[in-house]
Amino acid sequence: KKTIGVIDKEKDFLQETVDEKTEKIADLQENLANKEKTVAQMKLMISECESAVNQLKETLVNRDREINSLRRQLDAAHKELDEVGRSREIAFKENRRLQDDLATIARENQEISLELEAAVQEKEEMKSRVHKYITEVSRWESLMAAKEKENQDLLDRFQMLHNRAEDWEVKAHQAEGESSSVRLELLSIDTERRHLRERVELLEKEIQEHINAHHAYESQ
């Protein structure tokens, strides 16, 4: 009977130990699930950053199309200038031909002179328009350079976020392999969870600052 009593006590002690280990393992699994949830959230944030980068690329493509349209307009303006020059040469030839009979076609000569003045004025206006087009193209090129720099900054930030996410995934896998020491693992998980929370808050602040800067740039 004494032996059976001792065995029962040992059985109760072992059962309590098993229950404690089971509870600790459940807590560890819950912490690992929270870490996996955090990693999934970071992947979602990275996906959103990739979407923003794609939108910026589409904006750059639209700007390229607008610049090509402006260049085509410049080419058309040059063609119009050439046509005006040819028209002016034709008018001068006609004027020289009509000088032989000034007495009879003075009125017609006067009208041609007025047309020449209008052509010269139109040429000056075309020069002014071409200058404005060139200025506008230069402004668009500057905007494109700024967009490219902003795109590069976004890519760098995305790479940094991606590297951090990979580091967190590696740490999560390491945490799964270190379950032999439950107490040390719990302390390590708590510390790492605080670090992850601080990093997530920092990343959220950086992303919010970037979004605010992007909205401000779009407003400008």
Side-chain angles (χ1 to χ4, degrees):
K1 289 181 180 180
K2 290 181 181 180
T3 302
I4 292 172
V6 172
I7 291 174
D8 289 336
K9 290 181 181 179
E10 291 180 352
K11 179 181 178 183
D12 293 336
F13 177 75
L14 290 174
Q15 185 65 39
E16 290 178 358
T17 304
V18 169
D19 292 337
E20 290 178 358
K21 295 294 184 180
T22 303
E23 184 178 358
K24 290 180 180 180
I25 290 173
D27 292 337
L28 179 60
Q29 290 177 348
E30 183 179 359
N31 289 329
L32 289 176
N34 291 331
K35 294 179 84 174
E36 290 177 354
K37 183 178 179 181
T38 303
V39 171
Q41 292 176 354
M42 292 306 301
K43 288 182 178 179
L44 179 60
M45 292 171 61
I46 291 172
S47 177
E48 292 176 355
C49 289
E50 289 177 349
S51 177
V53 170
N54 291 330
Q55 291 178 357
L56 286 175
K57 288 181 179 179
E58 291 178 359
T59 303
L60 290 175
V61 171
N62 293 329
R63 293 295 184 272
D64 288 334
R65 291 176 181 174
E66 292 177 0
I67 288 176
N68 290 330
S69 177
L70 288 174
R71 287 176 178 172
R72 288 193 295 270
Q73 292 179 6
L74 280 174
D75 294 336
H78 285 303
K79 290 181 181 179
E80 290 179 2
L81 284 174
D82 293 337
E83 292 178 357
V84 169
R86 287 193 293 271
S87 299
R88 184 178 180 184
E89 292 177 0
I90 293 172
F92 276 120
K93 291 178 181 179
E94 186 69 18
N95 188 20
R96 287 194 297 270
R97 187 179 66 81
L98 293 175
Q99 286 177 356
D100 297 334
D101 199 4
L102 291 175
T104 56
I105 56 172
R107 183 179 300 172
E108 185 177 355
N109 189 22
Q110 184 178 2
E111 292 176 357
I112 291 174
S113 298
L114 294 176
E115 290 179 359
L116 286 174
E117 291 178 358
V120 173
Q121 184 177 0
E122 185 178 358
K123 181 179 179 181
E124 294 298 329
E125 291 177 356
M126 290 300 297
K127 286 182 179 180
S128 178
R129 287 176 59 187
V130 169
H131 180 69
K132 290 180 180 179
Y133 285 145
I134 292 173
T135 302
E136 187 69 15
V137 169
S138 177
R139 187 175 69 85
W140 278 109
E141 288 177 350
S142 299
L143 289 175
M144 287 292 294
K147 280 286 186 181
E148 289 177 355
K149 184 178 183 301
E150 183 180 0
N151 188 23
Q152 186 62 40
D153 294 337
L154 284 174
L155 290 175
D156 294 340
R157 190 179 297 277
F158 167 74
Q159 186 64 35
M160 180 181 66
L161 293 175
H162 183 68
N163 293 335
R164 289 183 180 178
E166 289 180 349
D167 292 338
W168 293 336
E169 288 178 355
V170 171
K171 290 180 180 179
H173 290 303
Q174 291 176 353
E176 291 176 358
E178 295 175 355
S179 61
S180 60
S181 179
V182 177
R183 182 175 297 174
L184 293 177
E185 180 63 19
L186 288 175
L187 293 175
S188 177
I189 289 174
D190 290 336
T191 303
E192 186 176 358
R193 182 178 59 187
R194 288 194 297 270
H195 291 170
L196 287 173
R197 184 178 299 169
E198 292 174 358
R199 289 184 181 178
V200 168
E201 291 176 355
L202 179 60
L203 287 174
E204 289 177 349
K205 289 181 181 179
E206 291 178 355
I207 292 173
Q208 186 63 38
E209 290 175 358
H210 173 70
I211 292 173
N212 293 334
H214 182 67
H215 289 330
Y217 178 76
E218 288 181 347
S219 299
Q220 292 177 1

